[in-house]
Amino acid sequence: MSFTRRQVAALAGSLALPASPIASAQAGWPSRPLRLIVPFAPGGTTDLLARALAPELQQRLGQPVVVDNRAGAGGNIGAAEVARAGDGHTLLMGTVGTHAINAALYPRLPYDPVKDFAPVTLVAAVPNVLVLNPANAERYGIRSVADLVRVAHANPGKLNMASSGNGTSIHLAGELFKSMTGSHMLHFPYRGSGPALLDLVSGNMDLMFDNLPSALPQIKAGKLLALAVTSARRSPAVPELPTIAEAGGPALKGYEASSWFGLLAPAQQPAEQVARLQREAAAALATPALRERLASQGAVAGGGTSAEFAALIAAETAKWARVVKLSGAKVD
């Protein structure tokens, strides 16, 4: 029996299997703008990284990616909002604070850092940098890490230490410094690095262990005095700065307190969508333009697998639990 072309086409259409619900949902996602929640105020490193990644994701996903700042409680307010989101279009720019430190620091969290989230990919890792208001540093005679230790010992409780919020790596970097040197400085938590930096530049605060990307413009402009980085090795972005372990003497040997930032979805996000997010974010972070942009700010681009990011979160949670216990850090 022979068939005409029209009959063949009709037969093929009748034999085609219907698209599965999963495939249909995947093909149509995202169906509207995505909201990328930053759990800190504008101007800090979490915000800077989110705004660098958002347009790249938008280009690849075909929908706007809107950065939404939801600051407060050391990142817990914004993280909890994403954990509760059930719309399939809400993501989180999580941090070492929201997903490794806060579990040890807060008696109760409004979310579970593991059970309530699906890790997508590590976005970037950055060192923190010890910065001081130049005028205040001059008044105290602080020109080095050793000077800071000496002045803090001689003036317990007199130096003011700003942070981006309770439980952030910026806060814990300072607490670790205090515990290792046996010094006492007053901690003032803000709702993000942005407002904390404003008060530091104005002289209302004395010092801060800020993430390098948000502090670097102020350092280059001469508005902040940088003494050292908190990483185990010097940063290529500021190779002239020693590490705190290098500059701090025997008391600070082994000091290390770096930060990281990553993309997370609510736990109920379909696995196919999480996988697509990981592919697109990793592709964006692999582009020379974005990698160079992050490197110029002192950040090392990520882009690994979701499993690698989950393993990092687990390892960092254990590490920071030990730091919290050692430092005696408390929520102010």
Side-chain angles (χ1 to χ4, degrees), residues 142-176:
I142 300 173
R143 298 180 180 83
S144 67
V145 176
D147 286 341
L148 174 59
V149 175
R150 173 180 53 78
V151 171
H153 277 151
N155 302 274
K158 192 169 183 179
L159 292 174
N160 294 329
M161 183 184 77
S163 85
S164 55
N166 284 311
T168 61
S169 71
I170 294 169
H171 171 206
L172 265 293
E175 294 295 340
L176 183 60

Side-chain angles (χ1 to χ4, degrees), residues 103-116:
L105 193 63
Y106 286 81
R108 289 180 299 276
L109 286 179
Y111 60 92
D112 186 306
V114 176
K115 294 179 181 178
D116 290 343

Side-chain angles (χ1 to χ4, degrees), residues 70-256:
R70 298 284 176 168
N76 291 342
I77 290 175
E81 184 168 344
V82 176
R84 294 191 299 265
D87 60 2
H89 289 73
T90 302
L91 306 171
L92 176 71
M93 183 61 79
T95 71
V96 62
T98 60
H99 279 75
I101 296 174
N102 288 359
L105 193 63
Y106 286 81
R108 289 180 299 276
L109 286 179
Y111 60 92
D112 186 306
V114 176
K115 294 179 181 178
D116 290 343
F117 293 90
V120 177
T121 191
L122 175 71
V123 173
V126 306
N128 292 352
V129 58
L130 171 56
V131 287
L132 289 83
N133 175 274
N136 293 358
E138 180 71 20
R139 187 172 70 251
Y140 283 113
I142 300 173
R143 298 180 180 83
S144 67
V145 176
D147 286 341
L148 174 59
V149 175
R150 173 180 53 78
V151 171
H153 277 151
N155 302 274
K158 192 169 183 179
L159 292 174
N160 294 329
M161 183 184 77
S163 85
S164 55
N166 284 311
T168 61
S169 71
I170 294 169
H171 171 206
L172 265 293
E175 294 295 340
L176 183 60
F177 183 93
K178 287 160 59 178
S179 70
M180 291 180 72
T181 59
S183 57
H184 175 51
M185 297 179 284
L186 292 178
H187 173 226
F188 287 82
Y190 287 74
R191 292 168 67 88
S193 283
L197 282 171
L198 287 175
D199 265 7
L200 184 60
V201 169
S202 70
N204 292 329
M205 290 285 116
D206 296 316
L207 62 102
M208 185 175 176
F209 291 78
D210 193 28
N211 299 144
L212 182 56
S214 49
L216 194 54
Q218 306 293 349
I219 295 170
K220 289 182 175 179
K223 295 181 179 179
L224 291 178
L225 171 65
L227 296 185
V229 292
T230 66
S231 48
R233 297 179 180 83
R234 294 194 182 203
S235 168
V238 283
E240 71 279 6
L241 288 182
T243 67
I244 285 180
E246 281 182 272
L252 288 164
K253 183 180 180 180
Y255 179 99
E256 192 272 327

Side-chain angles (χ1 to χ4, degrees), residues 25-87:
Q26 177 66 5
W29 182 90
S31 59
R32 52 191 170 86
L34 289 158
R35 187 164 59 124
L36 177 53
I37 288 185
V38 170
F40 298 99
T45 298
T46 318
D47 184 65
L48 294 174
L49 292 173
R51 294 181 189 278
L53 181 61
E56 299 290 339
L57 283 179
Q58 177 173 317
Q59 182 179 355
R60 287 169 168 77
L61 294 171
Q63 288 286 350
V65 178
V66 181
V67 175
D68 187 0
N69 296 88
R70 298 284 176 168
N76 291 342
I77 290 175
E81 184 168 344
V82 176
R84 294 191 299 265
D87 60 2

